């Protein structure tokens, strides 16, 4: 088991579409502030959301702006593939990746550089028979 830094020095990362941004997503992001000092959100692009079988009602720009205006979010990054997860963890000095319960698939192979924490607020969807995050 990895030893975590105290929450005041940790960055956490979650991914999702955040298309219908409302009270549940705000509560989820607020809860993430208890897990780390910085909450970084990977917002799916329109193309990647469509590829995942979940086209968005709001444009990527609108969703990104909503996330950036949320006081619980430290930084918003663009997610356009599952392949970028490891690089995002390294580039943003992530201690914990927040995933849906029983979520694996795209997060296989990153346990050596970040702790995977499962949270009920993160939802799951199917993509190529593996689990991925939406919010």
């Amino acid at each position: 088991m990895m030893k975590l830094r105290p929450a005041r020095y940790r960055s956490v990362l979650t991914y999702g579409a955040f298309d219908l941004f409302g009270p549940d997503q705000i509560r989820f992001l607020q809860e993430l502030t208890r897990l780390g000092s910085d909450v970084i959100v990977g917002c799916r692009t329109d193309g990647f959301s469509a590829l995942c079988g979940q086209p968005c009602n709001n444009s990527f720009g609108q969703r990104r702006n909503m996330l950036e205006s949320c006081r619980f979010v430290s930084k918003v990054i663009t997610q356009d593939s599952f392949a970028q997860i490891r690089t995002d963890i390294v580039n943003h000095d992530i201690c914990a990746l927040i995933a849906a319960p029983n979520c694996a698939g795209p997060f296989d192979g990153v346990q050596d550089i970040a702790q995977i924490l499962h949270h009920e607020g993160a939802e799951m969807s199917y993509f190529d028979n593996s689990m991925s995050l939406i919010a």
Side-chain angles (χ1 to χ4, degrees):
M1 173 137 178
M2 292 181 71
K3 191 169 190 172
L4 292 176
R5 295 181 219 164
R8 65 179 186 260
Y9 301 117
R10 293 178 15 168
S11 294
V12 298
L13 171 65
T14 193
Y15 290 100
F18 293 88
D19 189 28
L20 302 175
F21 196 71
D24 290 339
Q25 289 78 23
I26 293 170
R27 265 190 303 280
F28 169 65
L29 294 169
Q30 182 180 19
E31 289 175 16
L32 296 188
T33 63
R34 295 185 196 122
L35 300 174
S37 56
D38 292 316
V39 175
I40 300 173
V41 177
C43 184
R44 284 185 183 167
T45 62
D46 295 333
F48 188 51
S49 287
L51 184 66
C52 291
Q54 297 179 334
C56 294
N57 294 317
N58 295 303
S59 72
F60 172 75
Q62 291 170 317
R63 294 180 288 119
R64 183 182 185 108
N65 286 339
M66 284 188 288
L67 286 166
E68 288 175 337
S69 69
C70 179
R71 67 183 175 141
F72 305 114
V73 175
S74 305
K75 182 188 289 187
V76 179
I77 59 175
T78 302
Q79 183 190 22
D80 54 17
S81 75
F82 289 124
Q84 77 186 71
I85 293 172
R86 188 173 188 84
T87 303
D88 287 347
I89 290 170
V90 171
N91 288 346
H92 298 284
D93 194 26
I94 301 300
C95 294
L97 180 63
I98 313 305
N102 303 316
C103 183
F107 307 116
D108 287 344
V110 297
Q111 298 89 342
D112 61 325
I113 58 172
Q115 183 178 22
I116 310 297
L117 300 175
H118 297 282
H119 191 285
E120 293 294 326
E123 299 173 24
M124 291 190 278
S125 67
Y126 289 91
F127 177 73
D128 287 343
N129 297 320
S130 66
M131 302 310 280
S132 62
L133 283 181
I134 64 167

